[in-house]
Every structure is written in structure tokens, then in C-alpha cells.
Amino acid sequence: MNTAETPIRKHNLILEDRNKLSLSGVTDVESFDDTEVSLYTTQGELVIRGKKLHVDEVSLETGDLEMSGEVKSMIYGDKDRTKKPTVWKKLTR
């Protein structure tokens, strides 16, 4: 592997008592509010829905994200989409 290349980070998800979520392998956060967090991981899109959601810590350099709140659902989308689509890709979908 070339040292200039970005290493592939593993994606792990730990949910404690449905109110504390730790993620690794996060590549981008698209949006978040108190009912939904939409992000991209090395394993594809991920949407987390719930109540009183709060992103406590995030580092895109390490790919780690910590959040709290009442988690109701976690839905994975397309595995090939690990980054937010560009404006051009959105227009040509």
C-alpha cells in the first residue's frame, strides 16, 4: 500500500441501551438534527432515526463518531456509496 493512500478503515457500531451509539469507519456526515442523523461509512450509507439525537463527538480524520439519544432505527443504504454524491451525480441520477 502506498503511504499517500488513505487506509481502509473498519466500520464498527456499538449501541448501548439504545441511547449511546459509537461508530467507527465514518467517512462523511451529510446531515443531523434531533430526529435523524444521515452519514456515510466505509460500508455505505447509514441513517439513524430517533428522538433527542445529539452528535457528541465526531472526527472524520479518525472516522469515529459518538452520539446519544433514543435510537429508534438504523438503516443501511447502498454499500457502494461511502461518500456524499457530488452535485453533478445528484443531477444525473
Side-chain angles (χ1 to χ4, degrees):
M1 182 165 115
N2 185 340
T3 56
E5 293 177 22
T6 304
I8 301 294
R9 293 178 268 193
K10 290 186 178 187
H11 171 60
N12 290 298
L13 183 148
I14 300 170
L15 179 62
E16 297 176 37
D17 298 324
R18 290 185 67 171
N19 60 26
K20 182 176 180 185
L21 183 61
S22 301
L23 294 162
S24 63
V26 175
T27 58
D28 199 3
V29 178
E30 184 170 323
S31 64
F32 61 92
D33 61 31
D34 65 338
T35 61
E36 182 176 286
V37 178
S38 178
L39 51 90
Y40 295 92
T41 73
T42 56
Q43 294 296 308
E45 300 172 273
L46 176 60
V47 176
I48 302 151
R49 292 190 177 109
K51 290 182 181 177
K52 299 180 183 177
L53 298 178
H54 184 263
V55 175
D56 300 320
E57 293 181 40
V58 64
S59 171
L60 296 180
E61 290 176 5
T62 63
D64 296 327
L65 183 139
E66 301 277 332
M67 61 180 287
S68 56
E70 185 180 341
V71 175
K72 298 275 188 177
S73 69
M74 293 182 284
I75 302 167
Y76 281 95
D78 187 358
K79 188 173 182 176
D80 295 333
R81 288 192 49 203
T82 58
K83 291 185 181 176
K84 180 168 41 172
T86 63
V87 172
W88 176 250
K89 286 188 179 186
K90 285 182 181 179
L91 292 173
T92 58
R93 268 200 243 179

mmCIF file with all atom_site columns, all heavy atoms in Angstrom, residues 2-29:
data_model
loop_
_atom_site.group_PDB
_atom_site.id
_atom_site.type_symbol
_atom_site.label_atom_id
_atom_site.label_alt_id
_atom_site.label_comp_id
_atom_site.label_asym_id
_atom_site.label_entity_id
_atom_site.label_seq_id
_atom_site.pdbx_PDB_ins_code
_atom_site.Cartn_x
_atom_site.Cartn_y
_atom_site.Cartn_z
_atom_site.occupancy
_atom_site.B_iso_or_equiv
_atom_site.pdbx_formal_charge
_atom_site.auth_seq_id
_atom_site.auth_comp_id
_atom_site.auth_asym_id
_atom_site.auth_atom_id
_atom_site.pdbx_PDB_model_num
ATOM 1   N N   . ASN A 1 2  ? 0.559   2.183  -0.833 1.00 0.00 ? 2  ASN A N   1
ATOM 2   C CA  . ASN A 1 2  ? 1.279   3.442  -0.923 1.00 0.00 ? 2  ASN A CA  1
ATOM 3   C C   . ASN A 1 2  ? 0.993   4.282  0.321  1.00 0.00 ? 2  ASN A C   1
ATOM 4   O O   . ASN A 1 2  ? -0.132  4.365  0.767  1.00 0.00 ? 2  ASN A O   1
ATOM 5   C CB  . ASN A 1 2  ? 0.822   4.170  -2.191 1.00 0.00 ? 2  ASN A CB  1
ATOM 6   C CG  . ASN A 1 2  ? 1.602   5.434  -2.453 1.00 0.00 ? 2  ASN A CG  1
ATOM 7   O OD1 . ASN A 1 2  ? 2.225   5.992  -1.556 1.00 0.00 ? 2  ASN A OD1 1
ATOM 8   N ND2 . ASN A 1 2  ? 1.549   5.882  -3.685 1.00 0.00 ? 2  ASN A ND2 1
ATOM 9   N N   . THR A 1 3  ? 1.994   4.929  0.872  1.00 0.00 ? 3  THR A N   1
ATOM 10  C CA  . THR A 1 3  ? 1.780   5.724  2.081  1.00 0.00 ? 3  THR A CA  1
ATOM 11  C C   . THR A 1 3  ? 0.901   6.938  1.816  1.00 0.00 ? 3  THR A C   1
ATOM 12  O O   . THR A 1 3  ? 0.319   7.490  2.733  1.00 0.00 ? 3  THR A O   1
ATOM 13  C CB  . THR A 1 3  ? 3.120   6.197  2.683  1.00 0.00 ? 3  THR A CB  1
ATOM 14  O OG1 . THR A 1 3  ? 3.838   6.911  1.688  1.00 0.00 ? 3  THR A OG1 1
ATOM 15  C CG2 . THR A 1 3  ? 3.915   5.026  3.204  1.00 0.00 ? 3  THR A CG2 1
ATOM 16  N N   . ALA A 1 4  ? 0.792   7.366  0.549  1.00 0.00 ? 4  ALA A N   1
ATOM 17  C CA  . ALA A 1 4  ? -0.058  8.507  0.215  1.00 0.00 ? 4  ALA A CA  1
ATOM 18  C C   . ALA A 1 4  ? -1.533  8.105  0.166  1.00 0.00 ? 4  ALA A C   1
ATOM 19  O O   . ALA A 1 4  ? -2.407  8.951  0.215  1.00 0.00 ? 4  ALA A O   1
ATOM 20  C CB  . ALA A 1 4  ? 0.358   9.097  -1.127 1.00 0.00 ? 4  ALA A CB  1
ATOM 21  N N   . GLU A 1 5  ? -1.800  6.809  0.052  1.00 0.00 ? 5  GLU A N   1
ATOM 22  C CA  . GLU A 1 5  ? -3.180  6.338  0.005  1.00 0.00 ? 5  GLU A CA  1
ATOM 23  C C   . GLU A 1 5  ? -3.812  6.368  1.393  1.00 0.00 ? 5  GLU A C   1
ATOM 24  O O   . GLU A 1 5  ? -3.140  6.168  2.398  1.00 0.00 ? 5  GLU A O   1
ATOM 25  C CB  . GLU A 1 5  ? -3.235  4.894  -0.519 1.00 0.00 ? 5  GLU A CB  1
ATOM 26  C CG  . GLU A 1 5  ? -2.823  4.761  -1.956 1.00 0.00 ? 5  GLU A CG  1
ATOM 27  C CD  . GLU A 1 5  ? -2.834  3.313  -2.403 1.00 0.00 ? 5  GLU A CD  1
ATOM 28  O OE1 . GLU A 1 5  ? -3.534  2.493  -1.767 1.00 0.00 ? 5  GLU A OE1 1
ATOM 29  O OE2 . GLU A 1 5  ? -2.147  2.994  -3.367 1.00 0.00 ? 5  GLU A OE2 1
ATOM 30  N N   . THR A 1 6  ? -5.113  6.599  1.423  1.00 0.00 ? 6  THR A N   1
ATOM 31  C CA  . THR A 1 6  ? -5.837  6.572  2.680  1.00 0.00 ? 6  THR A CA  1
ATOM 32  C C   . THR A 1 6  ? -6.135  5.118  3.025  1.00 0.00 ? 6  THR A C   1
ATOM 33  O O   . THR A 1 6  ? -6.679  4.389  2.195  1.00 0.00 ? 6  THR A O   1
ATOM 34  C CB  . THR A 1 6  ? -7.160  7.352  2.557  1.00 0.00 ? 6  THR A CB  1
ATOM 35  O OG1 . THR A 1 6  ? -6.862  8.671  2.125  1.00 0.00 ? 6  THR A OG1 1
ATOM 36  C CG2 . THR A 1 6  ? -7.900  7.386  3.875  1.00 0.00 ? 6  THR A CG2 1
ATOM 37  N N   . PRO A 1 7  ? -5.799  4.659  4.228  1.00 0.00 ? 7  PRO A N   1
ATOM 38  C CA  . PRO A 1 7  ? -6.083  3.272  4.581  1.00 0.00 ? 7  PRO A CA  1
ATOM 39  C C   . PRO A 1 7  ? -7.589  3.038  4.715  1.00 0.00 ? 7  PRO A C   1
ATOM 40  O O   . PRO A 1 7  ? -8.334  3.938  5.089  1.00 0.00 ? 7  PRO A O   1
ATOM 41  C CB  . PRO A 1 7  ? -5.384  3.093  5.941  1.00 0.00 ? 7  PRO A CB  1
ATOM 42  C CG  . PRO A 1 7  ? -5.247  4.475  6.477  1.00 0.00 ? 7  PRO A CG  1
ATOM 43  C CD  . PRO A 1 7  ? -5.167  5.394  5.303  1.00 0.00 ? 7  PRO A CD  1
ATOM 44  N N   . ILE A 1 8  ? -8.012  1.828  4.388  1.00 0.00 ? 8  ILE A N   1
ATOM 45  C CA  . ILE A 1 8  ? -9.418  1.458  4.551  1.00 0.00 ? 8  ILE A CA  1
ATOM 46  C C   . ILE A 1 8  ? -9.668  1.242  6.042  1.00 0.00 ? 8  ILE A C   1
ATOM 47  O O   . ILE A 1 8  ? -8.992  0.446  6.687  1.00 0.00 ? 8  ILE A O   1
ATOM 48  C CB  . ILE A 1 8  ? -9.749  0.161  3.774  1.00 0.00 ? 8  ILE A CB  1
ATOM 49  C CG1 . ILE A 1 8  ? -9.454  0.336  2.285  1.00 0.00 ? 8  ILE A CG1 1
ATOM 50  C CG2 . ILE A 1 8  ? -11.185 -0.246 3.995  1.00 0.00 ? 8  ILE A CG2 1
ATOM 51  C CD1 . ILE A 1 8  ? -10.329 1.323  1.564  1.00 0.00 ? 8  ILE A CD1 1
ATOM 52  N N   . ARG A 1 9  ? -10.633 1.984  6.568  1.00 0.00 ? 9  ARG A N   1
ATOM 53  C CA  . ARG A 1 9  ? -10.960 1.862  7.986  1.00 0.00 ? 9  ARG A CA  1
ATOM 54  C C   . ARG A 1 9  ? -12.100 0.880  8.163  1.00 0.00 ? 9  ARG A C   1
ATOM 55  O O   . ARG A 1 9  ? -13.043 0.871  7.383  1.00 0.00 ? 9  ARG A O   1
ATOM 56  C CB  . ARG A 1 9  ? -11.358 3.217  8.554  1.00 0.00 ? 9  ARG A CB  1
ATOM 57  C CG  . ARG A 1 9  ? -10.219 4.194  8.577  1.00 0.00 ? 9  ARG A CG  1
ATOM 58  C CD  . ARG A 1 9  ? -10.672 5.500  9.101  1.00 0.00 ? 9  ARG A CD  1
ATOM 59  N NE  . ARG A 1 9  ? -11.073 6.293  7.937  1.00 0.00 ? 9  ARG A NE  1
ATOM 60  C CZ  . ARG A 1 9  ? -11.301 7.583  7.956  1.00 0.00 ? 9  ARG A CZ  1
ATOM 61  N NH1 . ARG A 1 9  ? -11.211 8.249  9.057  1.00 0.00 ? 9  ARG A NH1 1
ATOM 62  N NH2 . ARG A 1 9  ? -11.632 8.216  6.870  1.00 0.00 ? 9  ARG A NH2 1
ATOM 63  N N   . LYS A 1 10 ? -12.022 0.093  9.204  1.00 0.00 ? 10 LYS A N   1
ATOM 64  C CA  . LYS A 1 10 ? -13.102 -0.838 9.523  1.00 0.00 ? 10 LYS A CA  1
ATOM 65  C C   . LYS A 1 10 ? -14.289 -0.063 10.074 1.00 0.00 ? 10 LYS A C   1
ATOM 66  O O   . LYS A 1 10 ? -14.121 0.968  10.722 1.00 0.00 ? 10 LYS A O   1
ATOM 67  C CB  . LYS A 1 10 ? -12.637 -1.863 10.552 1.00 0.00 ? 10 LYS A CB  1
ATOM 68  C CG  . LYS A 1 10 ? -11.641 -2.832 10.001 1.00 0.00 ? 10 LYS A CG  1
ATOM 69  C CD  . LYS A 1 10 ? -11.335 -3.904 11.010 1.00 0.00 ? 10 LYS A CD  1
ATOM 70  C CE  . LYS A 1 10 ? -10.369 -4.900 10.411 1.00 0.00 ? 10 LYS A CE  1
ATOM 71  N NZ  . LYS A 1 10 ? -10.171 -6.041 11.286 1.00 0.00 ? 10 LYS A NZ  1
ATOM 72  N N   . HIS A 1 11 ? -15.468 -0.589 9.812  1.00 0.00 ? 11 HIS A N   1
ATOM 73  C CA  . HIS A 1 11 ? -16.696 0.030  10.316 1.00 0.00 ? 11 HIS A CA  1
ATOM 74  C C   . HIS A 1 11 ? -17.241 -0.831 11.443 1.00 0.00 ? 11 HIS A C   1
ATOM 75  O O   . HIS A 1 11 ? -17.503 -2.024 11.257 1.00 0.00 ? 11 HIS A O   1
ATOM 76  C CB  . HIS A 1 11 ? -17.730 0.143  9.194  1.00 0.00 ? 11 HIS A CB  1
ATOM 77  C CG  . HIS A 1 11 ? -19.084 0.559  9.670  1.00 0.00 ? 11 HIS A CG  1
ATOM 78  N ND1 . HIS A 1 11 ? -19.310 1.750  10.326 1.00 0.00 ? 11 HIS A ND1 1
ATOM 79  C CD2 . HIS A 1 11 ? -20.272 -0.060 9.588  1.00 0.00 ? 11 HIS A CD2 1
ATOM 80  C CE1 . HIS A 1 11 ? -20.598 1.831  10.629 1.00 0.00 ? 11 HIS A CE1 1
ATOM 81  N NE2 . HIS A 1 11 ? -21.197 0.748  10.184 1.00 0.00 ? 11 HIS A NE2 1
ATOM 82  N N   . ASN A 1 12 ? -17.368 -0.234 12.600 1.00 0.00 ? 12 ASN A N   1
ATOM 83  C CA  . ASN A 1 12 ? -17.967 -0.906 13.754 1.00 0.00 ? 12 ASN A CA  1
ATOM 84  C C   . ASN A 1 12 ? -19.040 -0.010 14.332 1.00 0.00 ? 12 ASN A C   1
ATOM 85  O O   . ASN A 1 12 ? -18.954 1.219  14.247 1.00 0.00 ? 12 ASN A O   1
ATOM 86  C CB  . ASN A 1 12 ? -16.919 -1.186 14.838 1.00 0.00 ? 12 ASN A CB  1
ATOM 87  C CG  . ASN A 1 12 ? -15.945 -2.246 14.415 1.00 0.00 ? 12 ASN A CG  1
ATOM 88  O OD1 . ASN A 1 12 ? -16.318 -3.382 14.170 1.00 0.00 ? 12 ASN A OD1 1
ATOM 89  N ND2 . ASN A 1 12 ? -14.684 -1.868 14.294 1.00 0.00 ? 12 ASN A ND2 1
ATOM 90  N N   . LEU A 1 13 ? -20.026 -0.634 14.925 1.00 0.00 ? 13 LEU A N   1
ATOM 91  C CA  . LEU A 1 13 ? -21.147 0.088  15.508 1.00 0.00 ? 13 LEU A CA  1
ATOM 92  C C   . LEU A 1 13 ? -21.461 -0.563 16.854 1.00 0.00 ? 13 LEU A C   1
ATOM 93  O O   . LEU A 1 13 ? -21.653 -1.778 16.919 1.00 0.00 ? 13 LEU A O   1
ATOM 94  C CB  . LEU A 1 13 ? -22.331 -0.046 14.553 1.00 0.00 ? 13 LEU A CB  1
ATOM 95  C CG  . LEU A 1 13 ? -23.615 0.678  14.878 1.00 0.00 ? 13 LEU A CG  1
ATOM 96  C CD1 . LEU A 1 13 ? -24.296 1.074  13.581 1.00 0.00 ? 13 LEU A CD1 1
ATOM 97  C CD2 . LEU A 1 13 ? -24.536 -0.183 15.676 1.00 0.00 ? 13 LEU A CD2 1
ATOM 98  N N   . ILE A 1 14 ? -21.456 0.227  17.913 1.00 0.00 ? 14 ILE A N   1
ATOM 99  C CA  . ILE A 1 14 ? -21.793 -0.275 19.247 1.00 0.00 ? 14 ILE A CA  1
ATOM 100 C C   . ILE A 1 14 ? -22.932 0.570  19.790 1.00 0.00 ? 14 ILE A C   1
ATOM 101 O O   . ILE A 1 14 ? -22.800 1.786  19.931 1.00 0.00 ? 14 ILE A O   1
ATOM 102 C CB  . ILE A 1 14 ? -20.593 -0.213 20.210 1.00 0.00 ? 14 ILE A CB  1
ATOM 103 C CG1 . ILE A 1 14 ? -19.436 -1.062 19.674 1.00 0.00 ? 14 ILE A CG1 1
ATOM 104 C CG2 . ILE A 1 14 ? -21.008 -0.656 21.614 1.00 0.00 ? 14 ILE A CG2 1
ATOM 105 C CD1 . ILE A 1 14 ? -18.135 -0.868 20.422 1.00 0.00 ? 14 ILE A CD1 1
ATOM 106 N N   . LEU A 1 15 ? -24.049 -0.072 20.072 1.00 0.00 ? 15 LEU A N   1
ATOM 107 C CA  . LEU A 1 15 ? -25.212 0.610  20.631 1.00 0.00 ? 15 LEU A CA  1
ATOM 108 C C   . LEU A 1 15 ? -25.420 0.104  22.049 1.00 0.00 ? 15 LEU A C   1
ATOM 109 O O   . LEU A 1 15 ? -25.604 -1.083 22.277 1.00 0.00 ? 15 LEU A O   1
ATOM 110 C CB  . LEU A 1 15 ? -26.458 0.324  19.781 1.00 0.00 ? 15 LEU A CB  1
ATOM 111 C CG  . LEU A 1 15 ? -27.764 0.947  20.259 1.00 0.00 ? 15 LEU A CG  1
ATOM 112 C CD1 . LEU A 1 15 ? -27.674 2.465  20.268 1.00 0.00 ? 15 LEU A CD1 1
ATOM 113 C CD2 . LEU A 1 15 ? -28.908 0.490  19.355 1.00 0.00 ? 15 LEU A CD2 1
ATOM 114 N N   . GLU A 1 16 ? -25.371 1.033  23.003 1.00 0.00 ? 16 GLU A N   1
ATOM 115 C CA  . GLU A 1 16 ? -25.540 0.686  24.414 1.00 0.00 ? 16 GLU A CA  1
ATOM 116 C C   . GLU A 1 16 ? -26.902 1.168  24.899 1.00 0.00 ? 16 GLU A C   1
ATOM 117 O O   . GLU A 1 16 ? -27.192 2.369  24.853 1.00 0.00 ? 16 GLU A O   1
ATOM 118 C CB  . GLU A 1 16 ? -24.444 1.334  25.258 1.00 0.00 ? 16 GLU A CB  1
ATOM 119 C CG  . GLU A 1 16 ? -23.051 0.862  24.909 1.00 0.00 ? 16 GLU A CG  1
ATOM 120 C CD  . GLU A 1 16 ? -21.995 1.604  25.694 1.00 0.00 ? 16 GLU A CD  1
ATOM 121 O OE1 . GLU A 1 16 ? -22.223 1.918  26.880 1.00 0.00 ? 16 GLU A OE1 1
ATOM 122 O OE2 . GLU A 1 16 ? -20.932 1.885  25.113 1.00 0.00 ? 16 GLU A OE2 1
ATOM 123 N N   . ASP A 1 17 ? -27.739 0.238  25.326 1.00 0.00 ? 17 ASP A N   1
ATOM 124 C CA  . ASP A 1 17 ? -29.060 0.545  25.897 1.00 0.00 ? 17 ASP A CA  1
ATOM 125 C C   . ASP A 1 17 ? -29.916 1.447  25.012 1.00 0.00 ? 17 ASP A C   1
ATOM 126 O O   . ASP A 1 17 ? -30.734 2.229  25.503 1.00 0.00 ? 17 ASP A O   1
ATOM 127 C CB  . ASP A 1 17 ? -28.920 1.193  27.287 1.00 0.00 ? 17 ASP A CB  1
ATOM 128 C CG  . ASP A 1 17 ? -28.243 0.266  28.276 1.00 0.00 ? 17 ASP A CG  1
ATOM 129 O OD1 . ASP A 1 17 ? -28.486 -0.956 28.197 1.00 0.00 ? 17 ASP A OD1 1
ATOM 130 O OD2 . ASP A 1 17 ? -27.494 0.768  29.122 1.00 0.00 ? 17 ASP A OD2 1
ATOM 131 N N   . ARG A 1 18 ? -29.710 1.373  23.709 1.00 0.00 ? 18 ARG A N   1
ATOM 132 C CA  . ARG A 1 18 ? -30.461 2.157  22.721 1.00 0.00 ? 18 ARG A CA  1
ATOM 133 C C   . ARG A 1 18 ? -30.350 3.660  22.919 1.00 0.00 ? 18 ARG A C   1
ATOM 134 O O   . ARG A 1 18 ? -31.136 4.426  22.382 1.00 0.00 ? 18 ARG A O   1
ATOM 135 C CB  . ARG A 1 18 ? -31.940 1.754  22.696 1.00 0.00 ? 18 ARG A CB  1
ATOM 136 C CG  . ARG A 1 18 ? -32.143 0.375  22.102 1.00 0.00 ? 18 ARG A CG  1
ATOM 137 C CD  . ARG A 1 18 ? -33.583 0.032  21.980 1.00 0.00 ? 18 ARG A CD  1
ATOM 138 N NE  . ARG A 1 18 ? -34.233 0.897  20.993 1.00 0.00 ? 18 ARG A NE  1
ATOM 139 C CZ  . ARG A 1 18 ? -35.456 0.704  20.552 1.00 0.00 ? 18 ARG A CZ  1
ATOM 140 N NH1 . ARG A 1 18 ? -36.174 -0.300 21.002 1.00 0.00 ? 18 ARG A NH1 1
ATOM 141 N NH2 . ARG A 1 18 ? -35.974 1.516  19.659 1.00 0.00 ? 18 ARG A NH2 1
ATOM 142 N N   . ASN A 1 19 ? -29.352 4.117  23.704 1.00 0.00 ? 19 ASN A N   1
ATOM 143 C CA  . ASN A 1 19 ? -29.228 5.568  23.870 1.00 0.00 ? 19 ASN A CA  1
ATOM 144 C C   . ASN A 1 19 ? -27.795 6.097  23.792 1.00 0.00 ? 19 ASN A C   1
ATOM 145 O O   . ASN A 1 19 ? -27.579 7.282  23.928 1.00 0.00 ? 19 ASN A O   1
ATOM 146 C CB  . ASN A 1 19 ? -29.906 6.053  25.160 1.00 0.00 ? 19 ASN A CB  1
ATOM 147 C CG  . ASN A 1 19 ? -29.334 5.429  26.402 1.00 0.00 ? 19 ASN A CG  1
ATOM 148 O OD1 . ASN A 1 19 ? -28.189 5.017  26.415 1.00 0.00 ? 19 ASN A OD1 1
ATOM 149 N ND2 . ASN A 1 19 ? -30.132 5.357  27.440 1.00 0.00 ? 19 ASN A ND2 1
ATOM 150 N N   . LYS A 1 20 ? -26.828 5.242  23.546 1.00 0.00 ? 20 LYS A N   1
ATOM 151 C CA  . LYS A 1 20 ? -25.455 5.695  23.314 1.00 0.00 ? 20 LYS A CA  1
ATOM 152 C C   . LYS A 1 20 ? -24.898 4.880  22.160 1.00 0.00 ? 20 LYS A C   1
ATOM 153 O O   . LYS A 1 20 ? -24.855 3.658  22.218 1.00 0.00 ? 20 LYS A O   1
ATOM 154 C CB  . LYS A 1 20 ? -24.587 5.512  24.554 1.00 0.00 ? 20 LYS A CB  1
ATOM 155 C CG  . LYS A 1 20 ? -23.195 6.037  24.324 1.00 0.00 ? 20 LYS A CG  1
ATOM 156 C CD  . LYS A 1 20 ? -22.327 5.957  25.545 1.00 0.00 ? 20 LYS A CD  1
ATOM 157 C CE  . LYS A 1 20 ? -20.967 6.511  25.142 1.00 0.00 ? 20 LYS A CE  1
ATOM 158 N NZ  . LYS A 1 20 ? -19.991 6.402  26.156 1.00 0.00 ? 20 LYS A NZ  1
ATOM 159 N N   . LEU A 1 21 ? -24.480 5.583  21.111 1.00 0.00 ? 21 LEU A N   1
ATOM 160 C CA  . LEU A 1 21 ? -24.012 4.925  19.898 1.00 0.00 ? 21 LEU A CA  1
ATOM 161 C C   . LEU A 1 21 ? -22.592 5.360  19.589 1.00 0.00 ? 21 LEU A C   1
ATOM 162 O O   . LEU A 1 21 ? -22.290 6.555  19.577 1.00 0.00 ? 21 LEU A O   1
ATOM 163 C CB  . LEU A 1 21 ? -24.938 5.279  18.733 1.00 0.00 ? 21 LEU A CB  1
ATOM 164 C CG  . LEU A 1 21 ? -24.671 4.627  17.383 1.00 0.00 ? 21 LEU A CG  1
ATOM 165 C CD1 . LEU A 1 21 ? -24.790 3.112  17.465 1.00 0.00 ? 21 LEU A CD1 1
ATOM 166 C CD2 . LEU A 1 21 ? -25.649 5.163  16.347 1.00 0.00 ? 21 LEU A CD2 1
ATOM 167 N N   . SER A 1 22 ? -21.719 4.392  19.370 1.00 0.00 ? 22 SER A N   1
ATOM 168 C CA  . SER A 1 22 ? -20.335 4.644  18.978 1.00 0.00 ? 22 SER A CA  1
ATOM 169 C C   . SER A 1 22 ? -20.125 4.021  17.606 1.00 0.00 ? 22 SER A C   1
ATOM 170 O O   . SER A 1 22 ? -20.438 2.852  17.400 1.00 0.00 ? 22 SER A O   1
ATOM 171 C CB  . SER A 1 22 ? -19.358 4.007  19.959 1.00 0.00 ? 22 SER A CB  1
ATOM 172 O OG  . SER A 1 22 ? -19.555 4.512  21.254 1.00 0.00 ? 22 SER A OG  1
ATOM 173 N N   . LEU A 1 23 ? -19.584 4.808  16.679 1.00 0.00 ? 23 LEU A N   1
ATOM 174 C CA  . LEU A 1 23 ? -19.347 4.338  15.319 1.00 0.00 ? 23 LEU A CA  1
ATOM 175 C C   . LEU A 1 23 ? -17.895 4.556  14.946 1.00 0.00 ? 23 LEU A C   1
ATOM 176 O O   . LEU A 1 23 ? -17.294 5.557  15.336 1.00 0.00 ? 23 LEU A O   1
ATOM 177 C CB  . LEU A 1 23 ? -20.191 5.130  14.317 1.00 0.00 ? 23 LEU A CB  1
ATOM 178 C CG  . LEU A 1 23 ? -21.690 4.985  14.391 1.00 0.00 ? 23 LEU A CG  1
ATOM 179 C CD1 . LEU A 1 23 ? -22.357 6.135  13.674 1.00 0.00 ? 23 LEU A CD1 1
ATOM 180 C CD2 . LEU A 1 23 ? -22.110 3.689  13.777 1.00 0.00 ? 23 LEU A CD2 1
ATOM 181 N N   . SER A 1 24 ? -17.350 3.647  14.158 1.00 0.00 ? 24 SER A N   1
ATOM 182 C CA  . SER A 1 24 ? -16.050 3.857  13.538 1.00 0.00 ? 24 SER A CA  1
ATOM 183 C C   . SER A 1 24 ? -16.223 3.628  12.043 1.00 0.00 ? 24 SER A C   1
ATOM 184 O O   . SER A 1 24 ? -17.219 3.049  11.606 1.00 0.00 ? 24 SER A O   1
ATOM 185 C CB  . SER A 1 24 ? -14.996 2.915  14.121 1.00 0.00 ? 24 SER A CB  1
ATOM 186 O OG  . SER A 1 24 ? -15.329 1.577  13.840 1.00 0.00 ? 24 SER A OG  1
ATOM 187 N N   . GLY A 1 25 ? -15.279 4.092  11.252 1.00 0.00 ? 25 GLY A N   1
ATOM 188 C CA  . GLY A 1 25 ? -15.370 3.944  9.810  1.00 0.00 ? 25 GLY A CA  1
ATOM 189 C C   . GLY A 1 25 ? -16.293 4.956  9.158  1.00 0.00 ? 25 GLY A C   1
ATOM 190 O O   . GLY A 1 25 ? -16.780 4.737  8.054  1.00 0.00 ? 25 GLY A O   1
ATOM 191 N N   . VAL A 1 26 ? -16.531 6.088  9.826  1.00 0.00 ? 26 VAL A N   1
ATOM 192 C CA  . VAL A 1 26 ? -17.377 7.144  9.269  1.00 0.00 ? 26 VAL A CA  1
ATOM 193 C C   . VAL A 1 26 ? -16.538 7.960  8.279  1.00 0.00 ? 26 VAL A C   1
ATOM 194 O O   . VAL A 1 26 ? -15.444 8.402  8.608  1.00 0.00 ? 26 VAL A O   1
ATOM 195 C CB  . VAL A 1 26 ? -17.931 8.060  10.384 1.00 0.00 ? 26 VAL A CB  1
ATOM 196 C CG1 . VAL A 1 26 ? -18.718 9.222  9.806  1.00 0.00 ? 26 VAL A CG1 1
ATOM 197 C CG2 . VAL A 1 26 ? -18.796 7.250  11.340 1.00 0.00 ? 26 VAL A CG2 1
ATOM 198 N N   . THR A 1 27 ? -17.064 8.132  7.057  1.00 0.00 ? 27 THR A N   1
ATOM 199 C CA  . THR A 1 27 ? -16.338 8.887  6.038  1.00 0.00 ? 27 THR A CA  1
ATOM 200 C C   . THR A 1 27 ? -16.890 10.287 5.837  1.00 0.00 ? 27 THR A C   1
ATOM 201 O O   . THR A 1 27 ? -16.166 11.176 5.399  1.00 0.00 ? 27 THR A O   1
ATOM 202 C CB  . THR A 1 27 ? -16.345 8.145  4.688  1.00 0.00 ? 27 THR A CB  1
ATOM 203 O OG1 . THR A 1 27 ? -17.697 7.925  4.286  1.00 0.00 ? 27 THR A OG1 1
ATOM 204 C CG2 . THR A 1 27 ? -15.616 6.810  4.796  1.00 0.00 ? 27 THR A CG2 1
ATOM 205 N N   . ASP A 1 28 ? -18.174 10.510 6.155  1.00 0.00 ? 28 ASP A N   1
ATOM 206 C CA  . ASP A 1 28 ? -18.777 11.839 5.993  1.00 0.00 ? 28 ASP A CA  1
ATOM 207 C C   . ASP A 1 28 ? -20.108 11.877 6.740  1.00 0.00 ? 28 ASP A C   1
ATOM 208 O O   . ASP A 1 28 ? -20.789 10.859 6.846  1.00 0.00 ? 28 ASP A O   1
ATOM 209 C CB  . ASP A 1 28 ? -19.010 12.148 4.518  1.00 0.00 ? 28 ASP A CB  1
ATOM 210 C CG  . ASP A 1 28 ? -19.194 13.626 4.232  1.00 0.00 ? 28 ASP A CG  1
ATOM 211 O OD1 . ASP A 1 28 ? -19.089 14.436 5.171  1.00 0.00 ? 28 ASP A OD1 1
ATOM 212 O OD2 . ASP A 1 28 ? -19.445 13.972 3.067  1.00 0.00 ? 28 ASP A OD2 1
ATOM 213 N N   . VAL A 1 29 ? -20.457 13.044 7.240  1.00 0.00 ? 29 VAL A N   1
ATOM 214 C CA  . VAL A 1 29 ? -21.765 13.258 7.866  1.00 0.00 ? 29 VAL A CA  1
ATOM 215 C C   . VAL A 1 29 ? -22.528 14.200 6.946  1.00 0.00 ? 29 VAL A C   1
ATOM 216 O O   . VAL A 1 29 ? -22.090 15.314 6.689  1.00 0.00 ? 29 VAL A O   1
ATOM 217 C CB  . VAL A 1 29 ? -21.636 13.872 9.280  1.00 0.00 ? 29 VAL A CB  1
ATOM 218 C CG1 . VAL A 1 29 ? -23.012 14.133 9.873  1.00 0.00 ? 29 VAL A CG1 1
ATOM 219 C CG2 . VAL A 1 29 ? -20.832 12.953 10.187 1.00 0.00 ? 29 VAL A CG2 1
#
